[in-house]
Amino acid sequence: MKETVTYKDIRGNKEINQLIEKGNEILGVLGYTEHSKKHAAKVAETAAKILKDLGYGSHEMELARIAGYMHDIGNCINRHDHAHSGAILAYQILKDLGMPLQDIVTITGAIGHHDEATGTAVDVVSAAVILADKTDVRRNRVRNPIIASFDAHDRVNYAALSATLKVNTEKRVIQMDLELDDAMSTVMDYFEIFLQRMMMCRRAAEVLGLKFKLVANGSRVS
């Protein structure tokens, strides 16, 4: 059994990368926004930074990176219940790589609970992954080239001029600052579409001992 399986190992793993890219391809056919290796890497790095800012150690940060990078591999099977199928895929892959069981179950738990329809934060690793995933709103995630045919999610993502996530350790707050193009989508449009995700972020923040705040175009929304 390997003593450690690193994030570098995971990012360079051909099987994992193929699962991510196939899932992204399938979601493109279904009309979803980008869920590529770029999204996976952003979630991984943001999750690790959240834990670093809160003073967690390198081991928790590494588990968050790995869970963040692998969180969407289940999309290669089906979008429906992709968190659950992704967790099962991850369990076998990480077991084959020789990762210690206690680390595997932490990672698979985070993957299995990252979707707002069925999941919730169950520990600090899953909480960090949820916050990183649900706040990745970017114009370049929209794949539909025809603005006139945008659905609600396309409009909101395309309207996002910038989105940053910051931890204030003194005030025990994690805040998402969002700048939206009002001509494309209003703040209320965003909140209506992503309400369930924002509620999930609130729960995740609580697991980390924080309060979650959303500030859109300079106004606090939650």
Side-chain angles (χ1 to χ4, degrees):
M1 180 179 291
K2 276 191 72 172
E3 195 168 311
T4 57
V5 175
T6 67
Y7 175 53
K8 183 178 179 181
D9 295 331
I10 297 303
R11 282 205 67 171
N13 186 284
K14 291 182 179 179
E15 180 180 6
I16 292 169
N17 286 324
Q18 188 169 347
L19 294 177
I20 293 171
E21 291 303 338
K22 184 61 179 179
N24 185 47
E25 178 187 329
I26 290 170
L27 293 190
V29 173
L30 297 175
Y32 285 84
T33 53
E34 169 263 334
H35 286 71
S36 68
K37 290 187 293 182
K38 182 176 181 179
H39 169 65
K42 181 172 177 58
V43 172
E45 295 299 343
T46 302
K49 186 178 185 305
I50 291 169
L51 295 185
K52 181 181 180 180
D53 290 346
L54 292 171
Y56 287 94
S58 58
H59 186 64
E60 289 92 348
M61 290 167 57
E62 192 76 342
L63 295 182
R65 286 191 188 96
I66 294 171
Y69 193 74
M70 298 181 72
H71 77 282
D72 271 338
I73 60 175
N75 283 319
C76 72
I77 295 175
N78 198 296
R79 179 63 179 174
H80 183 68
D81 282 339
H82 74 284
H84 305 155
S85 54
I88 294 168
L89 286 171
Y91 182 91
Q92 190 60 55
I93 291 169
L94 296 174
K95 185 177 179 182
D96 290 345
L97 290 174
M99 178 178 277
L101 181 59
Q102 64 184 32
D103 291 342
I104 294 175
V105 295
T106 297
I107 291 167
T108 55
I111 294 171
H113 282 88
H114 85 269
D115 186 67
E116 62 269 20
T118 58
T120 190
V122 292
D123 56 27
V124 297
V125 171
S126 64
V129 170
I130 286 167
L131 286 162
D133 180 38
K134 304 311 172 192
T135 58
D136 183 19
V137 183
R138 291 177 280 115
R139 173 169 285 191
N140 59 6
R141 291 192 69 188
V142 178
R143 295 192 275 195
N144 183 353
I146 304 172
I147 294 177
S149 66
F150 278 2
D151 63 13
H153 288 81
D154 286 338
R155 284 198 306 275
V156 168
N157 277 279
Y158 194 81
L161 302 176
S162 69
T164 58
L165 192 65
K166 297 178 182 178
V167 175
N168 187 321
T169 54
E170 290 185 6
K171 294 183 178 180
R172 303 303 295 176
V173 166
I174 184 164
Q175 180 170 310
M176 181 183 182
D177 288 306
L178 183 66
E179 184 182 354
L180 289 172
D181 178 356
D182 282 332
M184 181 62 62
S185 179
T186 68
V187 173
M188 289 310 296
D189 287 337
Y190 177 89
F191 196 69
E192 181 179 357
I193 292 168
F194 290 133
L195 176 60
Q196 195 173 3
R197 296 184 188 182
M198 295 301 99
M199 295 297 291
M200 194 181 201
C201 285
R202 179 182 293 179
R203 160 64 183 166
E206 290 173 352
V207 169
L208 293 168
L210 305 170
K211 289 185 178 179
F212 177 76
K213 291 184 179 180
L214 171 63
V215 175
N217 290 357
S219 299
R220 182 176 172 182
V221 181
S222 68

